[in-house]
Amino acid sequence: MNNPLLSIVIPTRDRPHLLPRAVKSALEQTIDDLEVIVVDDASTGPVDLPSHPRLRTIRLSSPRGGAGARNAGTEAARGRWIAYLDADDWLLPH
């Protein structure tokens, strides 16, 4: 996917038990033209998510905090629109 309509950026740090639900809710949106970017803000262990064609993971080598992780995701985003989702939250399908 070169230029999706929407990029959803999910910053995370050491929340492996919460992250899968957030990612799943982002990938299950009714709009198909989207990408999901997970930014791992130097977690203790790397993020482990199943492979998906609309999912990318960026691992930062040193922590930048929530705003820094969001900025890294924004720089990597290819969508016309960008939305942010915290790792401990989820989106409704519509």
Side-chain angles (χ1 to χ4, degrees):
M1 179 171 295
N2 290 336
N3 294 309
L5 181 62
L6 175 65
S7 296
I8 301 174
V9 176
I10 306 174
T12 189
R13 180 177 165 104
D14 293 324
R15 292 189 154 189
H17 59 291
L18 297 173
L19 183 61
R21 183 176 183 187
V23 170
K24 184 175 186 283
S25 77
L27 290 171
E28 290 181 345
Q29 292 302 295
T30 54
I31 180 174
D32 288 333
D33 194 12
L34 66 84
E35 68 176 348
V36 176
I37 303 168
V38 173
V39 182
D40 179 1
D41 191 26
S43 295
T44 304
V47 168
D48 184 26
L49 294 168
S51 178
H52 192 283
R54 293 184 290 161
L55 175 64
R56 289 191 289 149
T57 302
I58 299 169
R59 181 166 167 80
L60 303 179
S61 57
S62 61
R64 297 186 194 173
R70 282 181 187 84
N71 287 341
T74 300
E75 291 172 10
R78 293 178 272 193
R80 178 174 180 190
W81 303 102
I82 299 174
Y84 302 96
L85 178 64
D86 289 336
D88 62 348
D89 208 349
W90 63 93
L91 297 171
L92 296 175
H94 302 284

